[in-house]
């Protein structure tokens, strides 16, 4: 028997010949024939072949199709010379009516049945290991001389006819400092599954215990390692099991067919990827192209000017808009809150900064097919209902948004509001956004910029943001322009130092992400534009759908129509004026927000944001 030493440098045709003679004392082909493509193998009856090929194309992340044979053809000339699929895998599995009925070293005894069967060769992540190592990234399972860990997930594949199953993934522990390098090294190797489909907590994929892989071996982590998951060709095995074909064969997981093709024919997936952490509990990273990230940082810069000379430049934290929108992009359900009753001597006391930005965010979330609701003060429900109805009439919203109110009735009121039966494991919302929402100060009161206490007009929606800090998987964003808004507690020290009356008015309640804008509405417009940029980013969109199903390019027109526009925002501001909602700084019922004229100030900002998002 031959041992593993030196096998990594052997040419593929030599390795296949050794495997064919059953002379290897190894259990998997990870690390073998470095730099050459390896393939998962699925063999099934010719009557199922067309549908299985469609299933592969519909789920090309886990099932990148390298070659489909003709019935009874045991060779694959475009992948290898001198090969025989009956003998050239280390080990095979036989499936009958969905049950694994044996492991085999050779399929020669089934040569007669194989005459009516088609072989599919599917890309494998072993193919990218050399590229990862060249980038200076350790491959822990190779170091530990074991098979890669493979797990069944709770993520459904795109079904075709009788082929349906959940995604299977491989997991490799990667040092946190090397995450971006690992994504970059694999993202263009589409025929080896491409970029990861998840980075972080395995529970987000429905994986309960990394020490108990469904296939392969457990791999030990080093301090600082992060679990990184790639789509896996063993997904095809699960599809074969579920289709319950009378007879089918696959490679044994980890025992790949080694091809003669080198990993030098890369295909760009839309730019250089970046990795950003969007949650610590559970740990969750997202991926976006450098170009999309640059656009969103430009949006952040555009809204970061200080037209009111309040001192907000000292409050800004770079990159918060990107991280906030990445978190929201991953959310399935978002709760938005707004409302700042700064004019306590008028009825209604609300200002017109906040609702337009909130609706801009909500409109894009609707277009992205996310659940969205708005929570506001009980006394302002009728006003907000009218604003939402008008927004639908004006074409800003596709349909009305559920309007909620929150009152504290007991110590667990916030948890009961945010979670099914108050269970933190069953949150109703994944992300909370406050935009120009009055925030509680350190003394428990709520203040406008003039240091007037408006607590009697404000419901304790801050409690929802405080409760969200205790719920795993729920993230929060605060958008503000003066430091007294909900979520600005993250920058309260800067507010106290640089903002007039900041020592009194500073909001004490933090959000995970704090977006500071010259006018809060601008922050809402920028968030809508950033969500659009992210969904149009091929790298991020693929990561969101786990490389399953077709890209959502046909929805781009819908996303585009959901963006704010000068025309829509002009009509909405006129509606607010008609409803008696005043400018924050001047209390004027004119076409202005925060004392700044709509025309040539707000309209110009909207145009700049749209130009950056769409270019």
């Amino acid at each position: 028997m031959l041992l593993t030493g030196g096998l990594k440098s052997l040419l593929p045709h030599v390795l296949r010949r050794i495997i064919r003679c059953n002379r290897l004392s190894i259990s998997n082909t990870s690390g073998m024939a470095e730099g050459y493509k390896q393939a998962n193998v699925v063999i099934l009856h010719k009557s199922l072949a067309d549908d299985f090929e469609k299933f592969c194309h519909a789920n090309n992340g886990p099932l990148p199709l390298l070659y489909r044979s003709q019935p009874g053809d045991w060779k694959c000339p475009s992948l290898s010379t001198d090969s025989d699929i009956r003998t050239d895998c280390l080990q095979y599995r036989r499936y009958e009516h969905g049950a694994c009925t044996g492991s085999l070293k050779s399929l020669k005894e089934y040569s007669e049945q194989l005459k009516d069967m088609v072989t599919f060769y599917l890309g494998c992540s072993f193919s990218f290991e050399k590229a990862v190592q060249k980038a200076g990234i350790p491959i822990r399972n190779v170091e530990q001389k074991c098979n890669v860990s493979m797990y069944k997930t709770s993520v459904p594949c795109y079904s075709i006819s009788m082929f349906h199953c959940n995604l299977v993934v491989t997991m490799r522990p990667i040092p946190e400092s090397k995450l971006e390098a690992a994504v970059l090294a694999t993202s263009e190797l589409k025929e080896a599954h491409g970029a990861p489909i998840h980075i972080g907590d395995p529970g987000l994929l429905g994986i309960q215990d990394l020490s108990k892989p469904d296939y392969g071996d457990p791999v030990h982590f080093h301090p600082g390692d992060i679990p990184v998951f790639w789509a896996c060709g063993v997904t095809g095995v699960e599809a074969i099991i579920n289709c319950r074909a009378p007879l089918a064969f696959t490679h044994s997981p980890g025992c790949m067919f080694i091809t003669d093709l080198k990993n030098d024919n890369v295909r760009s997936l839309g730019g250089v990827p970046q990795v950003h952490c969007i949650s610590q509990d559970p740990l969750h990273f997202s991926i976006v192209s450098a170009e999309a990230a640059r656009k969103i940082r430009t949006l952040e810069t555009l809204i970061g000017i200080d037209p009111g000379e309040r001192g907000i430049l000292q409050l800004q934290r770079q990159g918060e808009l990107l991280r906030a929108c990445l978190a929201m992009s991953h959310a399935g359900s978002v709760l938005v809150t707004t409302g700042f009753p700064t004019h306590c001597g008028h009825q209604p006391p609300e200002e017109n900064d906040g609702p337009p930005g909130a609706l801009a965010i909500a409109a894009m979330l609707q277009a992205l097919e996310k659940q969205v609701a708005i929570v506001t003060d009980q006394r302002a429900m009728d006003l907000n209902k009218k604003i939402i109805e008008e927004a639908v009439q004006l074409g800003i919203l596709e349909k009305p948004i559920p309007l909620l109110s929150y009152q504290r009735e007991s110590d667990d009121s916030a948890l009961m509001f945010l979670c099914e039966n108050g269970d933190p494991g069953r949150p109703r919302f994944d992300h909370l956004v406050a935009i120009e929402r009055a925030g509680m100060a350190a003394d428990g009161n709520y203040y406008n910029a003039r240091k007037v206490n408006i607590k009697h007009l404000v419901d304790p929606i801050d409690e929802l943001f405080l409760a969200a800090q205790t719920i795993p998987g729920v993230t929060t964003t605060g958008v503000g322009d003066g430091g007294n808004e909900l979520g600005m507690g993250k920058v309260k020290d800067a507010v106290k130092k640089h903002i007039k009356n900041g020592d009194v008015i500073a909001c004490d309640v933090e959000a995970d992400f704090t977006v500071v804008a010259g006018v809060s509405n601008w922050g809402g417009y920028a968030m809508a534009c950033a969500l659009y940029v992210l969904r149009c980013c091929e790298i991020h969109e693929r990561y969101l759908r786990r490389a399953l199903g077709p890209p959502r390019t046909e929805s781009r027109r819908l996303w585009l129509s959901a963006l704010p526009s000068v025309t829509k925002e002009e009509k909405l501001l006129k509606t607010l004026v008609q409803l008696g909602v005043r400018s924050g700084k001047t209390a004027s019922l004119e076409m202005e927000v925060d004392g700044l004229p709509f025309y040539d100030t707000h309209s110009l900002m909207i145009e700049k944001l749209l130009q950056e998002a769409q270019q």
Side-chain angles (χ1 to χ4, degrees):
M1 300 288 284
L2 291 177
L3 301 177
T4 57
L7 291 178
K8 63 174 63 179
S9 59
L10 287 181
L11 291 174
H13 75 274
V14 177
L15 267 174
R16 289 196 303 272
R17 193 175 305 145
I18 295 171
I19 291 171
R20 195 178 305 154
C21 296
N22 195 22
R23 296 177 59 202
L24 284 181
S25 62
I26 59 174
S27 61
N28 64 84
T29 56
S30 177
M32 303 297 102
E34 286 185 337
Y36 287 88
K37 292 179 181 178
Q38 299 192 31
N40 298 271
V41 174
V42 171
I43 306 173
L44 40 64
H45 192 267
K46 61 186 180 183
S47 63
L48 302 174
D50 287 348
D51 280 342
F52 187 74
E53 181 174 351
K54 292 175 185 175
F55 182 71
C56 293
H57 291 314
N59 300 282
N60 65 358
L63 304 172
L65 183 56
L66 303 181
Y67 183 76
R68 169 185 168 171
S69 79
Q70 294 297 316
D73 188 354
W74 302 323
K75 301 184 183 300
C76 49
S78 65
L79 302 183
S80 62
T81 58
D82 186 32
S83 66
D84 186 334
I85 197 55
R86 300 173 300 170
T87 57
D88 290 0
C89 289
L90 269 179
Q91 192 174 66
Y92 303 85
R93 286 187 177 180
R94 180 182 65 231
Y95 291 90
E96 296 176 277
H97 300 285
C100 180
T101 56
S103 294
L104 310 164
K105 285 291 186 180
S106 169
L107 298 181
K108 276 198 167 183
E109 63 181 290
Y110 294 95
S111 295
E112 191 63 32
Q113 292 94 323
L114 289 171
K115 290 179 180 179
D116 288 325
M117 302 183 83
V118 173
T119 302
F120 288 84
Y121 300 79
L122 307 164
C124 171
S125 62
F126 288 175
S127 305
F128 65 52
E129 290 178 337
K130 181 64 175 179
V132 171
Q133 290 172 320
K134 282 180 67 176
I137 303 162
I139 303 289
R140 299 295 187 209
N141 68 286
V142 174
E143 291 178 346
Q144 297 166 27
K145 295 182 172 60
C146 63
N147 200 353
V148 71
S149 302
M150 291 164 269
Y151 304 88
K152 302 176 186 178
T153 73
S154 60
V155 181
C157 290
Y158 192 90
S159 297
I160 297 290
S161 187
M162 63 195 305
F163 292 104
H164 60 91
C165 65
N166 286 352
L167 174 68
V168 177
V169 293
T170 57
M171 186 283 298
R172 291 169 176 82
I174 303 291
E176 184 168 1
S177 62
K178 301 284 189 179
L179 289 177
E180 206 158 271
V183 175
L184 180 60
T186 59
S187 63
E188 294 191 334
L189 299 175
K190 186 174 181 182
E191 291 185 342
H193 303 303
I197 58 89
H198 179 64
I199 303 174
D201 193 301
L204 296 172
L205 293 177
I207 300 169
Q208 301 305 316
D209 189 347
L210 287 181
S211 70
K212 297 177 180 178
D214 296 292
Y215 300 99
D217 301 317
V219 178
H220 300 293
F221 282 67
H222 288 209
D225 282 353
I226 303 294
V228 180
F229 300 86
W230 279 266
C232 176
V234 177
T235 302
V237 175
E238 290 294 306
I240 292 301
I241 291 171
N242 287 344
C243 85
R244 300 182 181 276
L247 179 66
F249 302 97
T250 71
H251 69 293
S252 188
C255 301
M256 305 300 171
F257 176 83
I258 300 172
T259 78
D260 293 339
L261 302 182
K262 284 191 172 183
N263 274 317
D264 52 8
N265 54 330
V266 300
R267 173 181 171 183
S268 174
L269 283 180
V272 177
Q274 293 182 355
V275 177
H276 297 272
C277 184
I278 59 173
S279 171
Q280 290 292 337
D281 184 20
L283 187 63
H284 192 190
F285 294 81
S286 189
I287 299 176
V288 64
S289 73
E291 176 60 16
R294 182 203 63 76
K295 285 186 175 186
I296 293 172
R297 290 192 177 98
T298 300
L299 296 174
E300 188 174 51
T301 300
L302 287 172
I303 64 172
I305 60 174
D306 189 5
E309 298 182 347
R310 302 180 185 183
I312 66 163
L313 299 182
Q314 306 299 325
L315 313 185
Q316 293 169 354
R317 294 191 176 189
Q318 294 301 310
E320 292 285 281
L321 177 64
L322 174 59
R323 287 188 288 274
C325 290
L326 282 170
M328 213 180 310
S329 184
H330 282 271
S333 180
V334 180
L335 181 67
V336 181
T337 185
T338 190
F340 207 122
T342 189
H343 302 302
C344 47
H346 293 280
Q347 186 60 34
E350 271 69 26
E351 64 168 295
N352 58 16
D353 189 18
L359 292 174
I361 296 169
M364 184 54 66
L365 292 172
Q366 279 189 339
L368 296 175
E369 298 182 5
K370 299 181 185 295
Q371 298 296 315
V372 58
I374 290 180
V375 60
T376 191
D377 302 298
Q378 179 63 46
R379 56 157 190 84
M381 289 287 281
D382 287 344
L383 172 64
N384 280 277
K385 183 179 179 183
K386 292 176 183 176
I387 293 172
I388 290 172
E389 289 172 350
E390 286 297 321
V392 174
Q393 291 295 318
L394 295 172
I396 295 172
L397 295 175
E398 179 186 352
K399 59 185 178 182
I401 296 173
L403 186 61
L404 311 173
S405 66
Y406 169 76
Q407 299 293 324
R408 178 185 174 87
E409 296 175 353
S410 64
D411 289 344
D412 62 354
S413 290
L415 269 180
M416 293 297 292
F417 184 94
L418 293 174
C419 305
E420 297 286 347
N421 299 318
D423 179 2
R426 300 173 62 195
R428 292 188 176 95
F429 307 100
D430 306 308
H431 195 89
L432 278 59
V433 185
I435 175 167
E436 193 63 23
R437 170 70 195 176
M440 185 173 63
D443 63 2
N445 292 316
Y446 297 79
Y447 297 95
N448 65 17
R450 296 178 294 279
K451 210 163 56 173
V452 176
N453 187 353
I454 55 172
K455 184 176 181 178
H456 61 292
L457 297 171
V458 182
D459 290 344
I461 290 172
D462 305 66
E463 293 181 4
L464 302 180
F465 280 67
L466 292 170
Q469 296 173 8
T470 70
I471 305 172
V474 178
T475 48
T476 57
T477 296
V479 182
D481 58 17
N484 56 346
E485 301 90 0
L486 177 53
M488 293 291 117
K490 190 173 182 179
V491 294
K492 62 185 176 184
D493 291 340
V495 173
K496 293 174 181 178
K497 184 176 180 180
H498 298 288
I499 301 297
K500 183 180 178 181
N501 299 324
D503 56 331
V504 174
I505 71 173
C507 176
D508 200 51
V509 180
E510 295 188 19
D512 295 307
F513 313 104
T514 299
V515 177
V516 179
V519 177
S520 291
N521 280 343
W522 298 354
Y525 302 151
M527 292 184 87
C529 290
L531 288 168
Y532 171 79
V533 169
L534 288 175
R535 192 52 67 92
C536 292
C537 168
E538 185 177 355
I539 289 174
H540 181 67
E541 191 271 341
R542 178 186 185 274
Y543 189 74
L544 280 181
R545 60 181 169 86
R546 314 289 195 195
L548 301 172
R552 295 290 308 279
T553 52
E554 77 282 355
S555 298
R556 188 164 182 164
R557 184 177 299 177
L558 177 63
W559 307 333
L560 188 64
S561 66
L563 286 168
S565 70
V566 172
T567 300
K568 287 191 286 189
E569 297 308 312
E570 178 186 23
K571 291 177 179 178
L572 179 58
L573 184 54
K574 287 179 178 178
T575 295
L576 294 177
V577 170
Q578 292 169 1
L579 292 171
V581 182
R582 300 169 182 270
S583 173
K585 189 173 183 179
T586 64
S588 169
L589 279 174
E590 301 293 337
M591 291 294 288
E592 65 173 54
V593 179
D594 274 353
L596 302 169
F598 179 81
Y599 306 105
D600 299 329
T601 300
H602 299 288
S603 62
L604 186 60
M605 177 59 69
I606 294 167
E607 289 173 350
K608 288 179 178 179
L609 294 172
L610 291 174
Q611 181 179 5
E612 181 61 35
Q614 296 178 60
Q615 71 177 9

